[in-house]
Amino acid sequence: MKKFFIILSILLLSASATAENSCSGKLTYGYEKDSMAYSVDLDDLEIREYGNDYLAFSIAIIRGILRKRGCSKSDINFKRTPLGRYSRSLCKLVVPGVDMSRVCYVESSLGYFNVSWDMLTSTHVIYNRWD
């Protein structure tokens, strides 16, 4: 019986360490929070020009944040959510006609992201993990 509890303790500890080392764990600083806000200077990321494809630009920014947090490209899937349905990502103007009010909503296998830009070179990304 004592061996059973020792093995169970080892399994629980290794599962906890694995969870903190997962990409979602890295984005939330070991699951301290359910959501995190990131402010990124675009000059610090190597991202090609996407023109008016704001959704592709948002995904590239998110990938840059993931890279900086220690996640790999294969840790996230932008086409499907954890439940297997196709993601419903899109970009919209909050105020019609005001380009700086653009916000992109990006669903992924890890959670969903809201991406917005300021008037200079900063991007603001809010990550919310799935329950």
Side-chain angles (χ1 to χ4, degrees):
M1 190 67 154
K2 193 173 190 179
K3 287 182 184 181
F4 173 76
F5 286 117
I6 292 173
I7 292 172
L8 183 62
S9 298
I10 291 171
L11 289 174
L12 289 175
L13 287 174
S14 67
S16 173
T18 303
E20 288 182 10
N21 289 328
S22 71
C23 190
S24 188
K26 290 175 183 177
L27 285 172
T28 58
Y29 295 91
Y31 297 105
E32 278 185 32
K33 307 274 185 187
D34 290 331
S35 64
M36 292 295 296
Y38 295 92
S39 187
V40 180
D41 190 336
L42 294 176
D43 292 337
D44 294 340
L45 298 177
E46 294 181 27
I47 299 177
R48 72 174 182 85
E49 185 61 39
Y50 285 93
N52 290 333
D53 190 350
Y54 296 103
L55 187 55
F57 190 40
S58 296
I59 290 171
I61 291 167
I62 293 166
R63 285 199 185 279
I65 291 171
L66 294 174
R67 213 174 16 258
K68 285 185 176 261
R69 297 293 307 149
C71 300
S72 70
K73 189 174 182 177
S74 64
D75 286 338
I76 192 166
N77 181 343
F78 289 101
K79 293 183 177 158
R80 291 195 180 263
T81 66
L83 299 177
R85 69 175 166 77
Y86 286 102
S87 68
R88 299 175 292 189
S89 303
L90 62 102
C91 297
K92 292 262 186 187
L93 295 177
V94 176
V95 180
V98 179
D99 198 48
M100 294 314 303
S101 72
R102 185 175 319 279
V103 176
C104 293
Y105 169 79
V106 182
E107 286 187 345
S108 75
S109 57
L110 295 178
Y112 60 95
F113 300 83
N114 293 304
V115 182
S116 64
W117 294 264
D118 69 6
M119 306 258 325
L120 299 171
T121 62
S122 292
T123 303
H124 309 288
V125 178
I126 300 173
Y127 165 68
N128 299 278
R129 68 181 181 90
W130 297 117
D131 283 338

